[in-house]
């Protein structure tokens, strides 16, 4: 069995700019020429969030768990506010948002990284 190290800091810290670039690239690659479709949006959100999660895990940050949320909203002249609430450790945890806007919809990806001891 593996013994606990009691280490309180990660060896490789979460770097938000790297995660933002990865998430933005995934959004642009998947949605650049897409049109809004109400029926296929949930499955598209799921596949995009899985792809972003895989890309973030490949960055190999030490001891982090991730939550990835993707939201696709049709453009209809409305305003939109998105809010999240978390119990947060400001020294170790981090978050990133990425946005892709086309003629017919807006896609927002949120990536939260929680330090796991």
């Amino acid at each position: 069995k593996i013994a606990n190290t009691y280490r309180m800091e990660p060896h490789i810290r979460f770097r938000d700019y790297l995660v933002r670039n990865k998430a933005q690239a995934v959004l642009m690659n998947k949605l650049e020429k897409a049109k809004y479709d109400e029926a296929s949006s949930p499955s598209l959100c799921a596949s995009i969030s899985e792809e972003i999660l895989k890309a973030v895990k490949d960055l190999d940050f030490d001891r982090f768990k991730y939550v990835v949320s993707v939201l696709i909203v049709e453009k209809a002249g409305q305003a939109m506010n998105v809010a999240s609430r978390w119990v947060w450790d400001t020294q170790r945890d981090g978050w990133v948002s990425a946005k892709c806007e086309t003629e017919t919809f807006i896609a927002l990806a949120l990536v939260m990284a929680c330090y796991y001891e």
Side-chain angles (χ1 to χ4, degrees), residues 17-103:
Y17 63 93
L18 293 175
V19 175
R20 184 176 295 112
N21 291 343
K22 289 282 187 182
Q24 192 70 43
V26 170
L27 281 177
M28 294 306 282
N29 288 340
K30 292 284 248 179
L31 301 174
E32 191 171 36
K33 296 178 182 175
K35 297 285 184 193
Y36 181 78
D37 180 22
E38 183 179 337
S40 66
S41 289
S43 61
L44 186 59
C45 287
S47 69
I48 291 171
S49 64
E50 288 174 11
E51 194 170 329
I52 291 172
L53 180 62
K54 184 181 179 301
V56 171
K57 283 184 175 182
D58 288 344
L59 292 173
D60 203 30
F61 296 122
D62 188 31
R63 294 185 171 206
F64 283 93
K65 294 212 178 228
Y66 305 101
V67 177
V68 179
S69 174
V70 177
L71 175 68
I72 296 177
V73 179
E74 182 179 17
K75 277 188 178 177
Q78 78 280 19
M80 181 176 82
N81 288 325
V82 177
S84 299
R85 297 179 92 179
W86 296 86
V87 177
W88 208 249
D89 180 357
T90 57
Q91 293 177 345
R92 294 175 189 89
D93 299 341
W95 68 277
V96 168
S97 67
K99 181 176 132 182
C100 176
E101 190 168 343
T102 68
E103 293 178 11

